[in-house]
Each structure stands twice: as structure tokens, then as C-alpha cells.
């Protein structure tokens, strides 16, 4: 299935930064999800019925866990795969920033 987006939607997805939502060291990863883009993908998938609350999403390029942050915000479970130990550690740090909020 191919999804076509209007140009104004695509451009808007790159405006929001991660700010203090992630460990500052996470910005060292060379290929980070744009915040607006990954949250849009997750919301869109849920709206289209591709997955529902409680489902598990696999990200084979887990990086610093940004996909996991978007999943958790939408009540999805997340499995991220990453080969670089330093990025795995950063993902864990990013998750730790939000753990208390998620537990509530």
C-alpha cells in the first residue's frame, strides 16, 4: 500500500525537534527520526487500523529509541534492534527519562 501525503503535511512533520525529550547525547546518532514524522507514522497506523493499543511494534533499526518514544506515547509496546552498543545505551537513557510518566 502506498500512502500519498500533501506537501504541506510533509513539511510540517520536520518542524518539531526533540528538545529535552531525549538525552542530549542522542543527537550524536547520524540518522534520527524527525519527531513529527515518527509520531505521524504511529498515529496514522493506529487510525488506519494497522495496529491498536497494546500491540507490539518492531523497529529493526532501533537507533536511540525514538520510535519507542512515539510507540509508548500511543500505548504500543516496542522492540528496537540496534547493533551499536552506544546507541542501545542512549535508547535506554531516553526511555529512562520517561519511565515514571509511563508507569502512571
Amino acid at each position: 500500500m502506498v500512502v500519498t501525503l500533501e506537501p504541506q503535511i510533509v513539511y510540517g512533520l520536520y518542524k518539531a525537534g526533540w528538545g529535552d525529550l531525549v538525552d542530549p547525547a542522542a543527537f550524536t546518532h547520524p540518522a534520527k527520526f524527525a519527531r513529527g514524522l515518527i509520531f505521524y507514522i504511529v498515529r496514522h497506523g493506529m487510525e488506519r487500523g494497522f495496529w491498536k493499543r497494546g500491540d507490539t511494534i518492531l523497529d529493526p533499526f532501533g537507533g536511540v529509541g525514538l520510535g519507542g518514544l512515539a510507540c509508548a506515547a500511543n500505548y504500543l509496546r516496542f522492540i528496537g534492534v540496534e547493533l551499536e552498543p552506544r546507541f542501545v545505551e542512549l535508547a535506554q537513557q531516553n526511555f529512562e527519562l520517561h519511565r515514571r510518566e509511563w508507569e502512571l
Side-chain angles (χ1 to χ4, degrees):
M1 173 187 314
V2 176
V3 176
T4 304
L5 299 175
E6 297 295 321
Q8 65 272 21
I9 294 173
V10 174
Y11 297 133
L13 297 178
Y14 293 89
K15 289 182 179 181
W18 286 99
D20 61 355
L21 295 175
V22 298
D23 186 293
F27 293 104
T28 62
H29 192 283
K32 295 167 292 303
F33 272 123
R35 179 178 166 194
L37 178 62
I38 189 56
F39 275 82
Y40 175 83
I41 290 169
V42 171
R43 280 192 312 268
H44 181 77
M46 292 184 77
E47 289 168 2
R48 298 286 299 254
F50 299 150
W51 47 79
K52 62 186 179 319
R53 286 178 95 165
D55 284 353
T56 302
I57 305 298
L58 171 67
D59 181 355
F61 304 100
V64 294
L66 303 181
L69 297 179
C71 287
N74 288 279
Y75 305 97
L76 296 167
R77 295 176 183 186
F78 174 80
I79 298 173
V81 179
E82 176 55 55
L83 295 175
E84 295 285 334
R86 64 187 171 149
F87 296 138
V88 171
E89 185 177 325
L90 285 169
Q92 291 169 338
Q93 290 171 9
N94 286 334
F95 298 154
E96 194 58 40
L97 289 172
H98 301 277
R99 182 170 312 285
R100 185 153 172 80
E101 167 189 341
W102 296 337
E103 288 172 351
L104 295 174

